[in-house]
Amino acid sequence: MNLFITSGTADFLLKLKEKHQGENMVLMNSNESSILVHETEGKTLFSSPRKYEVIDSAGTLGREGFAVFNNIPVTDEGRPLFEDRFLNRPRMIENEPGFVAIRVLRPLSSNTYIILTIWENESSFENWQKSKAYAHAHKNRGTETGIDGAKPNIFESASYVSKYYIEGE
């Protein structure tokens, strides 16, 4: 499975989505920008997308809700370790109230992996961050056994988070 992301104005992306209603596309908006996500086994319809391979997933991309993109730049040497950690994650997030979907995305044209989670709403995401399951999933953060404490450092630069709203149709 592949996932492609393109940016543009909300109006332009909505028209593109409506033109290709048979495709699995989700329009996401924030205060700063709009993106259109296309998940497909085939090729994308976007002319110059950011390209990813879905290496792990659960749930269905929502038609409404709150999307969180955890963007994580990883060195070439660090890719196997990073992927191993995510492919062997505890999978507790899937049982959290308000959880809709997760995609672990391997970049095909950059160094930045994306951990995309979709929630029923923003408060569901915030509750996950305060949960015991979140604490368990991140218990080794900042330690020698945590992925961020690995030697050599597998991260190219600091990670960053992008948040978007998915409006119901």
Side-chain angles (χ1 to χ4, degrees):
M1 181 70 68
N2 294 305
L3 191 137
F4 303 95
I5 302 171
T6 194
S7 303
T9 65
D11 288 340
F12 172 77
L13 296 176
L14 181 59
K15 287 176 186 168
L16 182 60
K17 179 182 175 187
E18 289 173 347
K19 183 178 176 182
H20 301 286
Q21 291 183 16
E23 296 290 329
N24 185 16
M25 294 186 181
V26 180
L27 178 62
M28 302 180 183
N29 298 295
S30 73
N31 291 336
E32 295 83 36
S33 64
S34 295
I35 60 172
L36 189 58
V37 172
H38 181 206
E39 188 173 49
T40 180
E41 291 287 351
K43 295 183 178 182
T44 188
L45 303 165
F46 303 155
S47 58
S48 56
R50 288 174 275 159
K51 304 172 186 178
Y52 299 88
E53 179 182 358
V54 178
I55 60 172
D56 189 24
S57 68
T60 304
L61 293 185
R63 297 292 173 222
E64 63 181 278
F66 184 70
V68 180
F69 290 71
N70 192 357
N71 302 274
I72 307 169
V74 178
T75 64
D76 286 341
E77 309 81 46
R79 291 181 128 193
L81 175 60
F82 182 83
E83 289 185 18
D84 181 67
R85 292 282 176 101
F86 270 94
L87 292 174
N88 292 298
R89 63 189 173 81
R91 301 190 184 279
M92 296 172 72
I93 192 172
E94 287 92 331
N95 299 317
E96 285 299 303
F99 171 83
V100 174
I102 185 170
R103 298 293 185 272
V104 178
L105 305 174
R106 174 191 293 142
L108 298 177
S109 54
S110 76
N111 69 338
T112 304
Y113 283 78
I114 294 177
I115 311 306
L116 166 60
T117 56
I118 298 180
W119 302 88
E120 288 177 0
N121 50 49
E122 191 170 0
S123 62
S124 293
F125 169 70
E126 291 168 352
N127 289 338
W128 150 246
Q129 289 186 301
K130 298 172 192 169
S131 73
K132 290 180 183 180
Y134 181 90
H136 178 75
H138 297 90
K139 68 182 176 189
N140 293 326
R141 182 183 279 168
T143 69
E144 286 183 22
T145 56
I147 195 167
D148 57 340
K151 300 292 182 215
N153 184 4
I154 68 167
F155 299 108
E156 192 96 358
S157 58
S159 64
Y160 59 97
V161 173
S162 307
K163 300 175 182 176
Y164 295 89
Y165 295 94
I166 305 167
E167 298 176 20
E169 312 223 333

